[in-house]
């Protein structure tokens, strides 16, 4: 590549960050790092009517949690600041006026009521090369009238003058050559009456001024491509246009169509990276982070939605993604979201994660329960139980009994098959435990089996009562490993407690 790779993610602060948005960030980030380039975060807040309080900070927090730190942003600064479009307002008008001057755009003075009347009287009304002739704009009005209206302060917008029946094409890095006919595209507003640019003008101007080399965005932006291509052509020349890649959609698991928040609510899984509180509705939407997903697993799941490296490998660190990512291997078709697969990734990463990283997170989950216990003890517990945990939050149920005797014991699961022979067996086992000095797992298990045999019992039918005595329920790892870790005093105390409940 001849020029320095510079990519950007340019979200609008209008709500929570959908996992499709985070995947766009990830693909941008991987491409930039792979080519020793720069990843830019730009906030596109020109539409102030859609601005939502807290949404911009949410974007920063999400990227921080994911570990996808921008090289340049409103927070980090950079050589092309400011990185918020609302702070760049004065930049855009000159480009809109140049388009008018060169005959590629025009002033439109139509009021909102006049436009609404057209929409009501003409089915599927579009302001385009056909209808513009019957509207109030500088293409219809003479030059003197146009100047008088501008001077009078009458509100106006600047619209793109889409050419008639022109073939517009570009090469997409994922989809190959794409064609459009200009007659199918309406005359988009470029500059609004309040002087703010629309997305179409702002994205082109900003990409040019910020020297963006590659633009990766969702395929829902494909219909806007002809407008953007022509703006590049008219303002800066097509040789300066970034290379584009339109990423496939993330699809709902059932049926067709783009995955939405509504699908998540309906099917019981998150679609936002983190919890999102909407100040307009006072509703909180659950996020992957708060569901107990590790950021490593979240990114790993996202990268596999629409991409693979051509091998059977599924678990990737961020560094491995950087090394192996290729935009050419991104699929053209949409990828169905599979929540069960997402959980599989999270479990795989819990198994893979460094024990010290898990230690801190498990202590956060357990809170005060771990006070007074050494890290080596906690690590021993984690290693024994992590294969049973899909989420970090699962460690609460799977490990709490290692730190505190269970308050609620499922005695009802023992009673149906409980008899005097089993009562006698556990009393004998208690006596042996009191006098035994070798607390190794193998010795505890061997004596348990020997004693069961001596009492004419099958040790298998004694295992469930023993597990419930130590854990409180029908779960947990190997029961003799549990006894080994919680120690002699706790093992004896818990057996006695349940025997008293069964007496």
């Amino acid at each position: 590549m001849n020029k320095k790779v510079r990519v950007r993610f340019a979200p609008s602060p209008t709500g929570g960050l959908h996992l499709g948005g985070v995947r766009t960030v990830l693909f941008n980030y991987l491409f930039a790092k792979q080519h020793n380039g720069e990843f830019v975060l730009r906030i596109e807040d020109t539409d102030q009517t859609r601005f939502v309080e807290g949404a911009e900070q949410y974007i920063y927090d999400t990227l921080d949690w994911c570990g996808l730190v921008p090289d340049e942003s409103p927070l980090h600064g950079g050589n092309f600041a400011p990185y918020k479009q609302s702070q760049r307002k004065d930049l855009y008008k000159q480009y809109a006026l140049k388009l008018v001057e060169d005959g590629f755009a025009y002033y439109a003075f139509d009021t909102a009521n006049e436009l609404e009347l057209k929409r009501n009287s003409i089915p599927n009304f579009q302001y385009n090369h056909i209808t513009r002739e019957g509207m109030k704009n500088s293409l219809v009005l003479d030059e003197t009238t146009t100047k008088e209206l501008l001077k009078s302060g009458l509100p106006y917008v600047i619209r793109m003058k889409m050419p008639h029946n022109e073939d517009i094409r570009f090469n997409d890095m994922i989809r190959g050559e794409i064609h459009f006919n200009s007659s199918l595209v309406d005359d988009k507003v470029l500059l609004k009456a309040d002087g703010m640019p629309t997305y179409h003008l702002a994205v082109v101007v900003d990409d040019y001024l910020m020297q963006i080399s590659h633009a990766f965005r969702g395929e829902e932006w494909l219909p806007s491509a002809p407008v953007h291509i022509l703006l590049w052509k008219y303002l800066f020349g097509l040789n300066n246009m970034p290379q584009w890649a339109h990423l496939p959609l993330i699809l709902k698991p059932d049926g067709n169509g783009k995955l939405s928040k509504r699908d998540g609510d309906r099917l019981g899984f998150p679609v936002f990276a983190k919890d999102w509180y909407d100040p307009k509705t006072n509703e909180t939407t659950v996020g992957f982070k708060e569901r107990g997903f590790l950021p490593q697993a979240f990114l790993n799941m996202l990268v596999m939605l629409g991409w693979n490296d051509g091998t059977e490998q599924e678990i990737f660190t961020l560094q491995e993604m950087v090394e192996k990512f290729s935009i050419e291997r991104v699929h053209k078709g949409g990828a169905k979201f599979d929540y069960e697969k997402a959980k599989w990734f999270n479990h795989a990463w819990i198994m893979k994660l460094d024990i010290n990283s898990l230690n801190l997170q498990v202590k956060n989950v357990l809170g005060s329960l771990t006070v007074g216990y050494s890290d080596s003890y906690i690590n021993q517990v984690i290693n024994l139980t992590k294969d049973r945990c899909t989420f970090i939050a699962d460690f609460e149920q799977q490990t709490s009994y290692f730190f505190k005797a269970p308050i609620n014991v499922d005695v009802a699961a023992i009673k149906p098959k409980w008899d005097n022979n089993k009562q006698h067996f556990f009393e004998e086992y208690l006596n042996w435990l009191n006098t035994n000095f070798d607390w190794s797992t193998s010795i505890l298990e061997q004596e348990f089996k020997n004693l069961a045999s001596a009492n004419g019992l099958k040790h298998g039918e004694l295992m469930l009562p023993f597990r419930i005595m130590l854990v409180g329920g029908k779960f947990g790892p190997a029961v003799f490993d549990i006894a080994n870790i919680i120690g002699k005093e706790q093992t004896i105390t818990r057996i006695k407690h349940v025997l008293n409940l069964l007496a």
Side-chain angles (χ1 to χ4, degrees):
M1 293 180 185
N2 296 327
K3 60 181 181 178
K4 186 173 182 64
V5 168
R6 285 177 56 79
V7 301
R8 49 73 173 168
F9 177 59
S12 298
T14 57
L17 196 53
H18 185 279
L19 58 89
V22 185
R23 188 191 62 175
T24 300
V25 176
L26 178 60
F27 285 5
N28 273 287
Y29 180 91
L30 297 178
F31 189 82
K33 297 308 167 187
Q34 188 178 73
H35 294 94
N36 297 312
E38 289 152 353
F39 166 52
V40 178
L41 173 66
R42 187 174 72 219
I43 301 297
E44 303 204 337
D45 58 348
T46 56
D47 190 347
Q48 293 294 303
T49 61
R50 297 178 63 227
F51 176 80
V52 176
E53 189 68 37
E56 184 178 331
Q57 186 61 48
Y58 178 91
I59 293 166
Y60 302 140
D61 293 344
T62 296
L63 267 58
D64 186 57
W65 175 63
C66 292
L68 303 175
V69 181
D71 298 296
E72 302 167 24
S73 75
L75 287 184
H76 301 88
N79 295 330
F80 299 89
Y83 291 91
K84 292 173 70 170
Q85 285 183 339
S86 60
Q87 297 171 359
R88 300 167 64 85
K89 178 179 175 180
D90 296 339
L91 287 170
Y92 305 111
K93 188 170 184 178
Q94 60 181 305
Y95 293 100
L97 293 176
K98 184 178 187 306
L99 288 166
V100 174
E101 184 182 330
D102 293 343
F104 300 125
Y106 57 92
Y107 300 106
F109 301 96
D110 317 276
T111 65
N113 286 338
E114 288 168 342
L115 291 170
E116 188 61 29
L117 284 171
K118 286 291 184 183
R119 293 188 189 101
N120 291 336
S121 61
I122 302 175
N124 303 313
F125 169 76
Q126 281 193 320
Y127 206 124
N128 57 23
H129 69 282
I130 297 172
T131 60
R132 68 169 77 118
E133 297 301 322
M135 307 299 289
K136 191 199 290 185
N137 57 62
S138 58
L139 298 178
V140 176
L141 303 170
D142 60 56
E143 187 177 346
T144 302
T145 304
T146 299
K147 286 181 178 179
E148 287 175 354
L149 290 176
L150 290 172
K151 190 175 180 179
S152 73
L154 185 71
Y156 68 87
V157 299
I158 293 180
R159 287 184 178 272
M160 179 88 167
K161 183 184 177 184
M162 288 300 292
H164 176 56
N165 201 29
E166 185 174 312
D167 185 43
I168 302 170
R169 63 182 66 193
F170 77 99
N171 189 68
D172 189 282
M173 295 176 74
I174 296 172
R175 300 160 193 278
E177 189 165 79
I178 296 178
H179 296 251
F180 299 94
N181 187 294
S182 63
S183 295
L184 301 176
V185 184
D186 60 325
D187 292 357
K188 301 292 186 187
V189 173
L190 302 178
L191 198 73
K192 293 179 282 188
D194 62 2
M196 288 293 266
T198 60
Y199 171 80
H200 304 294
L201 178 63
V203 71
V204 170
V205 171
D206 285 342
D207 280 355
Y208 173 75
L209 294 177
M210 293 184 181
Q211 298 177 15
I212 300 303
S213 65
H214 296 77
F216 303 152
R217 58 188 188 180
E219 70 174 49
E220 62 268 31
W221 287 107
L222 264 173
S224 299
V227 177
H228 301 167
I229 291 168
L230 288 178
L231 286 173
W232 275 101
K233 178 181 176 182
Y234 298 155
L235 289 172
F236 311 117
L238 291 178
N239 288 337
N240 291 308
M241 190 173 82
Q243 292 185 60
W244 286 353
H246 288 82
L247 307 175
L249 296 176
I250 297 177
L251 305 173
K252 58 183 69 181
D254 56 341
N256 299 313
K258 181 180 177 181
L259 178 71
S260 68
K261 175 184 172 296
R262 192 179 296 108
D263 296 314
D265 294 342
R266 176 172 57 87
L267 297 170
F269 56 75
V271 297
F272 290 165
K274 293 173 76 271
D275 276 6
W276 164 245
Y277 169 74
D278 188 337
K280 292 184 176 180
T281 62
N282 289 323
E283 292 180 351
T284 297
T285 303
V286 71
F288 280 88
K289 177 180 184 288
E290 288 74 14
R291 273 285 176 95
F293 277 83
L294 296 165
Q296 298 95 326
F298 181 60
L299 293 182
N300 200 154
M301 175 268 293
L302 284 181
V303 81
M304 298 299 286
L305 282 172
W307 172 86
N308 66 69
D309 72 338
T311 72
E312 297 298 313
Q313 182 176 347
E314 290 189 278
I315 302 301
F316 293 88
T317 64
L318 186 56
Q319 185 55 42
E320 286 174 325
M321 292 182 211
V322 169
E323 292 167 1
K324 298 188 177 186
F325 181 74
S326 165
I327 198 70
E328 289 78 18
R329 289 202 62 82
V330 174
H331 309 158
K332 294 178 183 178
K336 279 188 180 290
F337 177 70
D338 182 344
Y339 188 54
E340 291 306 311
K341 187 68 174 182
K343 292 195 293 184
W344 178 86
F345 277 112
N346 206 57
H347 174 72
W349 265 97
I350 284 175
M351 296 298 292
K352 177 183 175 66
L353 205 62
D354 171 73
I355 190 69
N356 292 318
S357 298
L358 278 176
N359 179 293
L360 183 62
Q361 297 190 64
V362 170
K363 282 195 284 192
N364 286 338
V365 167
L366 295 176
S368 60
L369 276 180
T370 60
V371 173
Y373 288 90
S374 68
D375 280 341
S376 61
Y377 179 87
I378 296 169
N379 288 348
Q380 197 177 2
V381 170
I382 292 171
N383 277 324
L384 193 60
T385 57
K386 65 182 182 180
D387 65 331
R388 298 171 177 274
C389 297
T390 299
F391 302 113
I392 293 297
D394 293 344
F395 278 99
E396 183 173 9
Q397 182 196 24
Q398 294 295 339
T399 68
S400 60
Y401 56 85
F402 284 101
F403 304 95
K404 185 180 180 181
I407 296 172
N408 299 312
V409 179
D410 189 7
V411 179
I414 300 175
K415 279 184 176 179
K417 294 185 178 180
W418 189 253
D419 56 29
N420 289 333
N421 290 335
K422 290 176 181 176
Q423 178 83 16
H424 177 70
F425 164 82
F426 278 102
E427 288 171 352
E428 280 195 50
Y429 192 52
L430 268 177
N431 290 333
W432 178 81
L433 291 176
N434 271 308
T435 58
N436 173 47
F437 293 101
D438 186 341
W439 203 254
S440 63
T441 299
S442 59
I443 293 297
L444 293 173
E445 183 174 8
Q446 189 57 55
E447 183 57 28
F448 190 93
K449 289 178 178 179
N450 291 342
L451 199 56
S453 180
N455 281 272
L457 296 167
K458 295 178 180 179
H459 79 275
E461 59 187 290
L462 299 166
M463 294 293 284
L464 179 63
F466 189 34
R467 176 177 297 282
I468 292 173
M469 288 171 183
L470 299 188
V471 175
K474 305 175 186 178
F475 61 92
V479 69
F480 296 103
D481 286 331
I482 297 171
N484 172 259
I485 291 177
I486 65 175
K488 185 172 184 174
E489 181 182 341
Q490 273 296 312
T491 300
I492 290 171
T493 299
R494 295 182 191 189
I495 294 173
K496 283 183 177 179
H497 173 64
V498 175
L499 289 181
N500 287 334
L501 293 175
L502 290 165

